[in-house]
Amino acid sequence: MLQLQVVREEKDNIIAALQKRNLDAAPLLEKVVLLDEKRRTLQTRLDNTLAESNKLSKEIGMLFKSGKAQEANVLKEKTGGLKEESKSLGDELSAVAGELQDLLYQIPNIPNALVPAGTSEEDNEEVFREGDIPTLDTNALPHWELAKKYDIIDFELGVKITGAGFPVYKGKGAKLQRALIAYFLDKNTAAGYTEMQVPLLVNEASGYGTGQLPDKEGQMYHIGADDLYLIPTAEVPVTNIFRDVILNENEFPIQYTGYTPCFRREAGSYGAHVRGLNRLHQFDKVEIVRVEHPANSYKALDGMVEHVKSILRELQLPYRILRLCGGDLGFTAALTYDFEVFSTAQDRWLEISSVSNFEAFQANRLKLRYRDENGKTQLAHTLNGSSLALPRVLAGILENCQTPKGIKIPDVLVPYCGFNIIS
RNA sequence: GGAGAAAUGGCAGAGUGGUCGAAUGCGGCAGUCUUGAAAACUGUUGAGGGUCACACCUCCGGGGGUUCGAAUCCCUCUUUCUCCGCCA
């Protein structure tokens, strides 16, 4: 959520910047500024009314105390009108404030200057590429065929138990998955991230805090009986650790990592692009989250990108990094780098990580602040990234590491797996 | 799930209808003293709105109510603790 004060002061700049998202925010922002003025006018009127009745009440109290009940009762009669007035002003105020809040929730984050213009993923800007794309046999298989051949993932079983998009990992497939999680967490903790185990169900306030609500309500599974949401990413519970928190400057940087299953409804997409592990309703992911001083958040973003790079380098997977264009940039992000691994057998790139700086957008919703050198509270910056999302990494390994003898496990994972080939 | 108790500032803990944004202690910050530190002493120390700055307003778990006036009384929700039951 954008800060009201910033909207007030830099309306035109914001409108211009949001054009990169192909959004004409002018009507929205004009309305916000108007409502804000209205809000403040009402607030002032209400405050004055309350001040007056506070004063009267005190006088009445004094009169009663000094035994002048008669005079007190006279004053009492005068309070009726004030009471009515403050009631109606209060109602009006909360209506306006509510409307203002709703509008603010509709405004996406301001894209960073680096964000390229564009309308779709076609316009994302490739900024880095590394790793050799292997030459595979002509009879190389996509990962879902390999999963069947080596009996390591059973998609039909998942359909039976739950439905499409909930695979069952078996034997060495399950072990490889567990190895990846352990490896990722070890890499992250070695880089200074503290491991956290967090709830997989979150309340409504947490959903609002990180921006999943109200914009993307339909993407989350909702538990109606208890009004809780299954997390779509560890970002939600981990970042919400800092909801309503005021940090001291010397607590920066905060670096957390956590492994969680993630649940996404992702309705409406079918076909080859969602086959196998390409898109699931439940998948595993290891996430990194940082809370930073605003002056350092972009340095931190670069650091996170380098960190994810180092993991992919160790896994020896061919990957590229994209800077998301305005049309593809998430609602809450100011700048996002997507990592994609090349799936040789499918001959396409698969997104395996998304690293973003949200600047103060989430912090404003979270009320995540720090005390600056003058003792004033300021909004902190939040960032997060996947390191990494499991299913597509798994798909990349299966497809790129397939040999006539079986799937050759990347060296760095062998100590975690206890085997070096799936055959 | 049943019975009871409780929720106050960073923490501990007073405050049961009026001058309470809230005693006191600890912690934090600043100063005095000291070569420096500790101790001691003095001062200061919640958040948000609003204002050029003041004034002023709101907030004592959340929401609602009673009252001229609520941290204090009533209703409701949530959470925590104790006892009982059930259970990984």
Side-chain angles (χ1 to χ4, degrees), chain A residues 161-177:
Chain A
I161 299 168
T162 306
F166 294 89
V168 173
Y169 301 88
K170 303 168 68 174
K172 283 185 173 173
K175 189 75 184 282
L176 177 54
Q177 181 105 308

Side-chain angles (χ1 to χ4, degrees), chain A residues 12 30 33 53 116 125 231 234 266 281:
Chain A
D12 294 331
E30 299 289 358
V33 170
S53 62
E125 179 187 347
I231 58 169
E266 310 263 20
H281 288 308

Side-chain angles (χ1 to χ4, degrees), chain A residues 184-198 234 238 241-242 251 253-259 286-291 307 387:
Chain A
F184 292 152
L185 285 171
D186 284 353
K187 280 290 288 185
N188 295 347
T189 50
Y193 292 88
T194 302
E195 182 175 348
M196 305 292 270
Q197 283 194 17
V198 291
V238 174
I241 290 171
F242 297 98
E251 291 178 75
I254 288 165
Q255 307 184 82
Y256 283 168
T257 184
Y259 152 71
V286 175
E287 187 81 358
I288 48 179
V289 170
R290 297 181 67 139
V291 180
H307 176 66
S387 75

Side-chain angles (χ1 to χ4, degrees), chain A residues 290-317:
Chain A
R290 297 181 67 139
V291 180
E292 289 283 346
H293 189 285
N296 291 329
S297 67
Y298 279 96
K299 209 169 84 193
L301 182 68
D302 291 341
M304 291 166 83
V305 167
E306 287 306 315
H307 176 66
V308 175
K309 271 184 182 175
S310 77
I311 295 175
L312 287 163
R313 212 170 273 149
E314 281 192 0
L315 288 172
Q316 295 186 294
L317 292 169

Side-chain angles (χ1 to χ4, degrees), chain A residues 20 112-118 120-128 298 301-302 305 320-329 334-340 354-355:
Chain A
K20 240 190 228 172
N112 180 278
L114 285 172
V115 172
S120 74
E121 56 182 30
E122 308 287 314
D123 302 315
N124 293 336
E125 179 187 347
E126 182 174 326
V127 294
F128 190 78
Y298 279 96
L301 182 68
D302 291 341
V305 167
R320 64 177 185 179
I321 303 175
L322 305 174
R323 190 182 280 138
L324 294 193
C325 75
D328 208 21
L329 189 65
L335 181 61
T336 296
Y337 291 101
D338 270 10
F339 283 68
E340 296 186 331
S354 191
V355 184

